[in-house]
Amino acid sequence: QVQLVESGGGLVQPGGSLRLSCAASGSMFSIYVMNWYRQAPGKQREWVATITRSGSTNYADSVKGRFIISRDNAKNTVYLQASSLNPEDTAVYYCNTEILGQNYWGQGTQVTVSS
């Protein structure tokens, strides 16, 4: 059983930054491929970033150059450093992993970018 818990969201001004965290249960965390997704009001949930077991990363074009995904396997935690935020980044951010065809999701953390 895998449990994911996001934190770190909040209200930030345009141009500001937030660091989101996702704490994961499970002794096999180090082998999980971890993802961040987000869902804005009235929109489909969209993929944001991925980090592999070895630390390779990939990003959606919309966040490339502004967001950084990282992981600390000793802490069973994946992070999303979100910088140069704009109102279009406002969304609920979710972490996710897939294990043997089963998707696991956290409860989400709200990011609001507004002046």
Side-chain angles (χ1 to χ4, degrees), residues 1-104:
Q1 191 74 265
V2 175
Q3 296 183 35
L4 305 172
V5 180
E6 301 95 334
S7 62
L11 176 64
V12 64
Q13 294 183 353
S17 299
L18 287 172
R19 188 178 71 162
L20 310 183
S21 299
C22 174
S25 66
S27 61
M28 302 298 289
F29 174 79
S30 64
I31 72 171
Y32 299 159
V33 175
M34 301 297 300
N35 308 287
W36 283 98
Y37 286 76
R38 66 186 182 185
Q39 188 166 23
K43 295 185 178 180
Q44 298 281 345
R45 188 170 297 185
E46 65 174 334
W47 168 75
V48 173
T50 294
I51 186 164
T52 70
R53 300 159 179 81
S54 62
S56 297
T57 60
N58 201 8
Y59 300 91
D61 288 342
S62 59
V63 305
K64 194 172 299 181
R66 300 188 298 119
F67 288 16
I68 299 174
I69 186 172
S70 62
R71 68 193 299 161
D72 185 337
N73 291 337
K75 296 182 178 180
N76 288 358
T77 301
V78 62
Y79 304 95
L80 187 69
Q81 178 68 44
S83 301
S84 300
L85 289 162
N86 58 65
E88 289 69 46
D89 296 313
T90 295
V92 178
Y93 284 71
Y94 300 89
C95 62
N96 157 269
T97 192
E98 180 182 329
I99 305 172
L100 299 177
Q102 175 67 55
N103 274 296
Y104 297 86

